Amino acid sequence: MPLDLTFFPRWNLVHADYFGCTTVGDIVRSYSDMLSHPESDCLRYAINDMRSLTNLNVFYEGMSFLARTVSADAALRAAPWEIAFVAPQRDMTPILTDYCAQVSRAGTVRCARFADIPAAIDWLGLPCGVMDLSVANSRRIGDARASTTVLTASRAQPDPADGVHRQKS
């Protein structure tokens, strides 16, 4: 699965970095991985970074099912979730906008799509400094992935003080 998850407990934040080609199954698995993480009960904010996707291979029925699942899970949480999708690719706008509308309809989640990271961070109400937190490949949240090639064991790990990183590929 072309995905890196990095958890930032101090900020109650998870950064999901999608790259290459992603399917609805990949998104469902990343959601499951996020929920299984020990810090998941404290999470409030999610940045789904799709800037490096070359193909979002999803279908409306699958995304609708996921939207209903996320909304139902959010209803059980003490604090509401706030989910930002960052995808500047115009071909991804209709399905992500529809997904966010479905998730937000339940009233227990705020969800929106943005073309860039600063707009998403501002909407989430997080400080601008969040863009400087370390994620996979010695990058910062604000940096786009240099290549859509899947990197393996040579990946540098971020400073543990910044976040807890999980690589999926």
Side-chain angles (χ1 to χ4, degrees):
M1 168 173 35
L3 167 73
D4 288 311
L5 289 175
T6 307
F7 295 84
F8 301 96
R10 175 178 175 208
W11 300 103
N12 300 325
L13 169 67
V14 62
H15 178 263
D17 186 13
Y18 295 89
F19 52 96
C21 177
T22 294
T23 66
V24 71
D26 294 332
I27 296 170
V28 168
R29 281 188 293 281
S30 73
Y31 179 67
S32 177
D33 287 348
M34 189 250 338
L35 289 179
S36 69
H37 190 275
E39 301 291 341
S40 69
D41 288 341
C42 299
L43 291 177
R44 179 159 183 208
Y45 307 105
I47 298 173
N48 291 282
D49 189 345
M50 298 184 158
R51 293 176 295 170
S52 297
L53 273 184
T54 56
N55 187 15
L56 181 60
N57 190 11
V58 299
F59 53 98
Y60 280 95
E61 293 81 8
M63 294 300 283
S64 292
F65 174 79
L66 180 59
R68 289 189 303 274
T69 301
V70 169
S71 295
D73 290 348
L76 303 174
R77 298 180 65 85
W81 275 336
E82 300 190 36
I83 304 167
F85 282 87
V86 179
Q89 306 90 327
R90 288 181 182 222
D91 59 329
M92 297 178 193
T93 299
I95 196 152
L96 291 176
T97 301
D98 182 69
Y99 172 82
C100 289
Q102 288 183 54
V103 168
S104 297
R105 228 173 271 140
T108 56
V109 181
R110 276 190 346 142
C111 185
R113 182 216 150 262
F114 300 91
D116 61 51
I117 290 285
I121 288 173
D122 181 61
W123 180 82
L124 290 169
L126 294 169
C128 293
V130 166
M131 289 193 310
D132 294 324
L133 295 174
S134 296
V135 293
N137 201 20
S138 298
R139 292 180 307 112
R140 300 171 312 129
I141 287 178
D143 298 334
R145 183 179 288 275
S147 169
T148 58
T149 304
V150 177
L151 302 173
T152 56
S154 64
R155 248 179 228 219
Q157 297 297 311
D159 183 337
D162 279 336
V164 180
H165 173 71
R166 281 188 175 176
Q167 177 184 346
K168 298 288 180 183
S169 54

